[in-house]
Amino acid sequence: MSETDAIVFLMGTAGNSQWREPIKAACAAEGISAFDPVVPNWDEAASRREAEALQRAQVVLMAITAETASLGALAESGWTALSALKRHQALGLYVDPNYVASAEPQAEAQQANMRATALLEDASQRARKLVIQHAARLVAQFPELNIYLAKDLADLQAWAVRTAKARLSPSIRQVAQPQQAALAAYRERHQAPPLCLAYAPGRVNLIGEHTDYNDGFVLPAAIDKAIYIAANLREDDLIVLHSLDFDSEVTFPLARLHDDSLPAWTRYIRGAIALSSSIALLHGQNPNRLRGMNLTIAGDVPLGAGFSSSAAIEVAMFEALSALLGLSLTQTQKALLGQQVEHHFIGIRSGIMDQLIAAIGKADHALLIDCRSLEATPVPLPKGVTIVTFDTGVRRELVNSEYGLRREQCEQAARLMGVPSLRDATPELLAAKRAEMPEIVARRAQHVLDENARTLAAVEALRQGDLTKVGALLNASHASLSQLYEVSIPELDLMAELARQQAGVYGARMMGGGFGGAVIALVADEAVPQVIERVSAAYTAQTGRPCTPYTAKAGMGSGVIYLGGAG
């Protein structure tokens, strides 16, 4: 883990900064990455590292002690910390009472350097009032944020470790042969076979990004990696949930389906089960038949890398629920219900693409999906080319990213053009209305209109076997996502560029919602080993991050295998 990936960011004083060392040691002992911006020689590179670390950190610590150099330094740190809080990070704050009592702001202000003096005019009063004179007001003013006022430095250290550990990503492992692993783990845990094994694949999206929630066109393919759920009913009301991917087991009653104190990875399962009673009513069935369940989950869909493992588990859950509860659901209905889980239990207003391709994918084909009518047209993938993805190792959390903001901007653009959605807009209409739009909203709309056109053009190029044109469209898609839609990040831009530089690569672009994840590339079969080796080596050399490549084949959609366990 690089220093710019630090979970804990130490801020607020320069010089000796003795308070930092015990905290860094405690973090290291717990496997928590900490970033200390104090460096002997400050330069542009150091400033850039600090900015990147602050942007990515989840916990910010400030200690105002006798080591605080001046009010100017304090004002600057306070201003930066308050800016960080806008990104909903946790702030741990310790203010030494002796320092507060002895501080002479006016005298120090006269001696502040030019940078601090400039900051004082704008930030000093806010920083001084919030951080020094009335620290407790910080908590009152920002009740929705996680702000902790420590009583001493030892308390700050304990809070930092406790908070950072809670924010560490759970240990995730890629399960080999997940179908067999899920069955074996279920039998071992319950000493009986499951009634069924439900499954749903991950997906890649060749082109058509951020068009689905605008009623547009997308061109995804299901892949030959999936989530598997071994399942059976119980006689009580307990959900016994075992995840091999997270190496974790949780047991809870049906009454706690909406209890968000349960581990975050259980939300998809809990959301699907909670919807099942409503589904039963819609089909004229008795919702009271809902009982407890034994569920064992394993998969080999890369998690958090843009392969939509979340949609896979949602659709797989509705496959399992259909079998366990005798619900009559079409594949499209399973996809739509998975989308409802995403909207109401996860908090992401996602489009339908991910769930739909997980439910109806076709081997050796991509599907042109009309996200308004849900019509899906198979598009054969030409022979001689392999889909290769390169995982940047940067994970994103769409709920806390600007994903929702992008959707709002698209809706605003549609309203300003007087159309139901951007699907209904034309380039001529956008040009006519552009002067009435905020420029950022116009850029978002421009991407969506262009991306719809690129998607339809890619379908025709695939049908004609013109991989050079398909590659050019992928490259153009990435440029638009990076420059107009602004959902790419430096690691995605670099990975796409490294892939495009290799012989045998037709085109490459970022894949998924953005802000992290993977790049997808179309690669000539014979060039795949060399491309993977060179891109991986170059990416790691330039970023210090490992590159995880995957090759994918277009596979089938979701289904269920009945195994004969007692239901």
Side-chain angles (χ1 to χ4, degrees):
M1 180 176 288
S2 68
E3 61 185 1
T4 55
D5 289 328
I7 291 176
V8 174
F9 186 100
L10 291 83
M11 173 186 288
T13 60
N16 294 328
S17 304
Q18 295 300 318
W19 68 274
R20 289 171 150 89
E21 298 308 319
I23 290 176
K24 290 196 294 185
C27 288
E30 298 288 346
I32 299 165
S33 177
F35 181 79
D36 185 353
V38 176
V39 293
N41 299 307
W42 201 253
D43 55 21
E44 183 178 349
S47 179
R48 184 168 58 252
R49 287 195 301 272
E50 179 182 12
E52 291 175 356
L54 182 59
Q55 181 180 5
R56 297 182 180 182
Q58 297 186 47
V59 181
V60 177
L61 300 183
M62 288 185 68
I64 310 304
T65 70
E67 297 172 4
T68 302
S70 68
L71 179 60
L74 177 60
E76 183 175 353
S77 296
W79 178 257
T80 307
L82 290 170
S83 298
L85 286 175
K86 295 177 182 178
R87 291 189 292 275
H88 303 281
Q89 295 163 311
L91 174 69
L93 173 68
Y94 168 63
V95 183
D96 185 347
N98 294 326
Y99 178 83
V100 176
S102 62
E104 297 181 1
Q106 297 302 322
E108 286 191 294
Q110 295 173 2
Q111 301 175 13
N113 59 36
M114 292 180 63
R115 186 180 181 195
T117 300
L119 283 166
L120 282 172
E121 295 180 1
D122 191 14
S124 173
Q125 293 302 314
R126 185 184 310 196
R128 189 154 53 91
K129 288 180 181 178
L130 293 178
V131 180
I132 302 178
Q133 293 183 347
H134 304 291
R137 289 188 181 180
L138 200 59
V139 177
Q141 184 162 347
F142 298 98
E144 72 281 9
L145 301 178
N146 185 1
I147 303 174
Y148 182 77
L149 297 177
K151 61 179 181 294
D152 54 36
L153 290 174
D155 187 28
L156 182 67
Q157 173 183 305
W159 178 86
V161 170
R162 184 172 64 250
T163 304
K165 286 179 70 175
R167 290 171 176 239
L168 280 172
S169 298
S171 177
I172 300 174
R173 57 176 181 163
Q174 213 66 63
V175 178
Q177 297 183 316
Q179 179 175 350
Q180 291 79 5
L183 289 172
Y186 186 98
R187 290 189 181 101
E188 180 180 357
R189 172 66 176 79
H190 301 290
Q191 296 300 301
L195 174 69
C196 64
L197 182 73
Y199 60 90
R203 65 100 183 97
V204 291
N205 187 28
L206 292 177
I207 196 167
E209 216 68 78
H210 289 275
T211 53
D212 57 346
Y213 53 80
N214 288 293
D215 288 349
F217 298 97
V218 292
L219 188 63
I223 61 174
D224 54 344
K225 300 178 187 295
I227 301 291
Y228 295 86
I229 304 177
N232 208 342
L233 292 171
R234 297 172 58 90
E235 294 302 322
D236 54 25
D237 71 341
L238 294 179
I239 304 295
V240 180
L241 180 57
H242 180 200
S243 170
L244 275 67
D245 301 278
F246 291 98
D247 193 21
S248 180
E249 183 173 316
V250 181
T251 299
F252 54 90
L254 289 169
R256 292 184 64 193
L257 288 174
H258 296 272
D259 184 351
D260 283 336
S261 68
L262 292 167
W265 62 266
T266 69
R267 290 178 300 169
Y268 301 98
I269 296 92
R270 291 188 284 112
I273 297 171
L275 283 179
S276 62
S277 60
S278 298
I279 300 166
L281 281 173
L282 288 173
H283 289 81
Q285 298 167 355
N286 180 9
N288 295 323
R289 68 181 298 180
L290 186 61
R291 290 152 42 191
M293 302 174 194
N294 295 325
L295 302 168
T296 298
I297 303 172
D300 56 0
V301 180
L303 303 181
F307 296 87
S308 201
S309 57
S310 58
I313 197 168
E314 290 158 1
V315 174
M317 269 303 300
F318 284 108
E319 292 283 2
L321 289 165
S322 296
L324 294 179
L325 304 179
L327 301 175
S328 299
L329 299 173
T330 67
Q331 294 304 101
T332 298
Q333 286 172 329
K334 293 167 188 173
L336 290 167
L337 288 165
Q339 184 189 34
Q340 291 304 305
V341 172
E342 201 83 36
H343 286 189
H344 300 297
F345 284 83
I346 311 304
I348 300 176
R349 295 175 62 207
S350 67
I352 190 59
M353 173 182 69
D354 295 346
Q355 292 82 5
L356 194 57
I357 190 63
I360 66 172
K362 182 177 180 180
D364 301 321
H365 289 71
L367 294 183
L368 173 64
I369 298 176
D370 180 335
C371 294
R372 171 173 285 169
S373 69
L374 303 187
E375 179 183 0
T377 305
V379 181
L381 295 176
K383 297 185 183 302
V385 65
T386 298
I387 297 171
V388 181
T389 62
F390 298 95
D391 186 354
T392 64
V394 179
R395 292 294 173 262
R396 82 275 188 272
E397 176 56 63
L398 290 181
V399 176
N400 293 328
S401 74
E402 295 191 2
Y403 181 92
L405 176 59
R406 294 300 184 280
R407 182 162 184 160
E408 292 171 4
Q409 290 166 339
C410 290
E411 291 169 350
Q412 181 182 1
R415 287 195 301 272
L416 291 172
M417 285 189 281
V419 293
S421 75
L422 290 181
R423 161 69 175 275
D424 304 291
T426 63
E428 294 76 17
L429 179 59
L430 176 59
K433 295 288 187 178
R434 189 161 190 141
E436 303 173 21
M437 295 183 189
E439 178 56 28
I440 194 169
V441 171
R443 292 205 306 271
R444 306 302 188 240
Q446 186 73 61
H447 164 76
V448 174
L449 268 64
D450 292 347
E451 188 78 348
N452 276 327
R454 281 189 289 265
T455 302
L456 296 176
V459 169
E460 291 305 312
L462 283 170
R463 288 172 174 161
Q464 296 168 14
D466 189 347
L467 291 172
T468 299
K469 183 174 181 180
V470 176
L473 291 166
L474 264 62
N475 296 340
S477 174
H478 182 89
S480 182
L481 287 160
S482 180
Q483 298 165 19
L484 295 179
Y485 219 66
E486 296 181 286
V487 293
S488 187
I489 58 173
E491 289 86 352
L492 287 168
D493 291 339
L494 173 63
M495 190 77 85
E497 179 59 29
L498 290 172
R500 287 193 291 265
Q501 292 172 0
Q502 309 306 315
V505 174
Y506 293 100
R509 70 173 191 88
M510 59 154 280
M511 179 182 70
F515 310 105
V519 162
I520 183 172
L522 286 183
V523 185
D525 288 348
E526 65 275 9
V528 169
Q530 187 176 64
V531 168
I532 287 176
E533 179 182 358
R534 290 183 175 179
V535 171
S536 299
Y539 178 77
T540 299
Q542 294 189 44
T543 66
R545 294 177 178 275
C547 165
T548 306
Y550 301 94
T551 58
K553 294 182 178 179
M556 293 296 292
S558 62
V560 63
I561 302 169
Y562 288 90
L563 299 167

